[in-house]
Amino acid sequence: MIGRLRGILLEKQPPYLLLDVQGVGYELQAPMTTFYRLPSLGHEVVLHTHLSITENLHQLFGFSEQRDRSLFRTLIKVNGVGPKLAIAILSGMEADDIARCVRDDNITALTKVPGIGKKTAERLVIELRDRLKNWDMPQSDLLAHSEIQSIASDNDVFAEAESALIALGYKPVDAAKMISLAAKQKPDAKSEELIRMALRSIAG
């Protein structure tokens, strides 16, 4: 079982990234909350991983924080929530925000994540309430944790950000609108910052 990888970051194209570990390239999927914390290409990074094996597919998922991986593993135990949806949930909200929604029965906030309807949101709240009752809520600022790095040139910022949202399940027209609104708030923002602002706007 692969539980942790340390290597050089070669590529990052949400939700995928490529890590060089002593000459072996590992392709992983990661939520946007992990992408916000990644260093620039060519730098070393440590990721906590989860290997998912099914009859026809082997997938490796990476997380910058152990608590994110822990919540991912908790999410995929919920009926009807697979790895893809769990990554989308962790991309739309910080782990602490998800735990807060569950504690507060905030179904409305959960339904703003692509792929989550009212019934799924209700199931998440019901099934996670007991599992997350001891979830520690540290006061932390994501931006203070790591400086956001650009993953594209300035000319490709909007396209890169929209592409990331589409990969997460948003419709192209909605992705374009979300990024446009985020860009109006901060015209000089880089792609990952635009993505973060767009996702935060729907998370309330």
Side-chain angles (χ1 to χ4, degrees), residues 74-126:
T74 300
L75 286 168
I76 60 177
K77 292 178 182 177
V78 175
N79 184 32
V81 177
K84 183 177 180 180
L85 183 53
I87 287 293
I89 294 171
L90 282 165
S91 291
M93 296 182 185
E94 285 289 328
D96 292 339
D97 292 331
I98 296 170
R100 191 173 293 108
C101 284
V102 171
R103 289 182 178 182
D104 296 343
D105 293 336
N106 192 344
I107 293 172
T108 300
L110 291 172
T111 57
K112 292 180 180 179
V113 176
I116 295 187
K118 186 177 179 181
K119 289 185 178 179
T120 301
E122 291 174 344
R123 190 182 307 122
L124 283 169
V125 168
I126 293 171

Side-chain angles (χ1 to χ4, degrees), residues 17-31:
L17 58 88
L18 184 65
L19 201 63
D20 182 346
V21 181
Q22 298 182 349
V24 178
Y26 288 86
E27 184 180 74
L28 306 94
Q29 294 184 55

